[in-house]
Amino acid sequence: MEKWIDVKGISKTFGTQKAVSDISFTVRPGQVIGLLGHNGAGKSTLIKALLGMLHYEGEIEVMGLSPQQHRAKLMESIAYISDVSALPSWMTVKQCLDYVSGVHPQFSLEKAQQYLADTDIKQTVKISQLSKGMKVQFHLAVVMATDAKVLIFDEPTLGLDLIYREKLYAKLQAWLEESTRALIIASHEVSEIEHLLTDVIVLKQGKMVLKSSMAELETNYSTVLVDNENYSRAESLSPIYIRKEREQTRMIFENLASDQLKAFSQVCRTSLAELFIAKQVGLEK
């Protein structure tokens, strides 16, 4: 399958601070990649490199183009929504739609209006008067109406209440199912995006500490609830994460054969949130 994004050995340094270090991955049609990490982990720096917004070491191709050399052409196929709205606040919703219709060759005004039809957004209202949730809804409608192949979301639900979050993810899911597309969603809200993802990348202090498909996570990681009697035996199997609870201990194991887990009665699925914590903090004893 073709590669829509191909990242090889990307590094970026600001002064003496290494923001990202030797990052490599690919994005293919149909993938929904969670780019996870705490604030300062390097998510936004990596996204800016993909968009050609900064210089970097290494190689990036997006739709076969260099982001630094062909940014204008690249933006016909890729869309970006940041955690801070970049919409022109002085325009009305209708003025913004008309403007985008005039400058973006693939924008469909009809589609944008269809996406907005089930919202409370009025086209006569200035963007500055929209709530944070409405601004995100409007921005998403504009982006979806451009028929972008790749959408990059940087902390899309920051500051939104639960109702807006649910609406946002439902629209994203429907949009992804309309056609063959790819989505990169950067977030530290791990639990709420897990259901969307096909793949995950976890960054820690600029380095990639996990790159996997969601299917591989199911196979490669297991969580075991261990009572005090079996603690020493379980610990000898080298868990990657240990968290003591009231009457038992939760341990996460990587690439442990199923027959070695048979001794423990409570073996359960490792959630992405648990694995994220394990990769960030390591062992807690």
Side-chain angles (χ1 to χ4, degrees):
M1 187 181 293
E2 64 180 316
K3 300 176 184 177
W4 278 355
I5 298 178
D6 193 11
V7 177
K8 297 179 181 177
I10 290 300
S11 297
K12 176 63 181 178
T13 302
F14 296 100
T16 59
Q17 181 68 33
K18 200 102 173 182
V20 292
S21 179
D22 195 27
I23 305 294
S24 298
F25 65 94
T26 60
V27 180
R28 301 178 188 275
Q31 285 187 297
V32 179
I33 298 179
L35 182 60
L36 310 179
H38 292 302
N39 292 334
K43 304 189 301 297
S44 293
T45 298
L46 183 56
I47 287 172
K48 288 177 181 178
L50 293 175
L51 297 170
M53 297 171 65
L54 49 74
H55 293 285
Y56 49 81
E57 299 174 9
E59 298 179 19
I60 298 178
E61 282 192 357
V62 180
M63 300 297 180
L65 302 173
S66 164
Q68 295 186 94
Q69 298 176 18
H70 306 284
R71 187 164 187 262
K73 181 66 176 175
L74 177 150
M75 296 308 292
E76 294 180 9
S77 301
I78 193 168
Y80 170 59
I81 299 180
S82 69
D83 61 333
V84 179
S85 177
L87 298 170
S89 61
W90 53 272
M91 282 186 174
T92 65
V93 169
K94 183 179 185 306
Q95 287 171 336
C96 187
L97 292 175
D98 290 341
Y99 173 76
V100 178
S101 183
V103 299
H104 199 295
Q106 297 180 25
F107 179 75
S108 169
L109 181 58
E110 182 182 357
K111 277 189 176 181
Q113 291 172 336
Q114 288 174 355
Y115 289 132
L116 292 174
D118 63 345
T119 72
D120 295 324
I121 299 171
K122 306 300 182 185
Q123 296 200 24
T124 55
V125 174
K126 283 190 175 182
I127 293 172
S128 61
Q129 297 174 308
L130 298 176
S131 68
K132 172 69 185 290
M134 287 181 175
K135 287 178 181 177
V136 174
Q137 282 185 316
F138 178 49
H139 202 165
L140 181 60
V142 171
V143 164
M144 292 192 302
T146 63
D147 198 29
K149 293 297 184 185
V150 180
L151 173 58
I152 299 176
F153 253 12
D154 190 359
E155 299 288 359
T157 61
L158 197 64
L160 299 188
D161 62 33
L162 289 175
I163 294 176
Y164 273 118
R165 292 183 187 197
E166 285 298 312
K167 288 181 178 179
L168 175 70
Y169 291 129
K171 286 187 176 181
L172 267 181
Q173 188 72 59
W175 181 75
L176 288 167
E177 291 172 357
E178 285 178 3
S179 182
T180 303
R181 298 183 169 106
L183 171 66
I184 298 174
I185 182 166
S187 180
H188 62 271
E189 299 288 350
V190 181
S191 297
E192 71 177 33
I193 67 170
E194 181 173 1
H195 70 286
L196 289 171
L197 305 181
T198 64
D199 298 83
V200 62
I201 293 171
V202 177
L203 299 182
K204 178 182 179 182
Q205 297 177 345
K207 296 181 179 179
M208 189 159 55
V209 294
L210 177 66
K211 179 175 68 173
S212 173
S213 70
M214 296 300 289
E216 289 171 338
L217 293 186
E218 295 276 356
T219 302
N220 296 338
Y221 296 91
S222 300
T223 294
V224 176
L225 303 180
V226 182
D227 57 27
N228 292 333
E229 182 180 346
N230 290 303
Y231 182 92
S232 297
R233 181 168 46 159
E235 187 183 29
S236 71
L237 298 175
S238 302
I240 63 169
Y241 180 71
I242 296 175
R243 188 181 77 209
K244 291 185 178 179
E245 300 177 348
R246 183 176 298 177
E247 297 179 354
Q248 58 191 1
T249 301
R250 182 177 295 267
M251 297 185 182
I252 298 178
F253 295 91
E254 182 175 6
N255 296 324
L256 192 67
S258 58
D259 59 339
Q260 292 179 284
L261 296 173
K262 290 178 180 177
F264 309 103
S265 58
Q266 298 188 66
V267 180
C268 51
R269 173 184 172 274
T270 303
S271 71
L272 183 57
E274 285 182 309
L275 188 55
F276 175 76
I277 293 171
K279 291 295 182 178
Q280 293 292 328
V281 304
L283 287 176
E284 285 186 357
K285 297 184 179 180

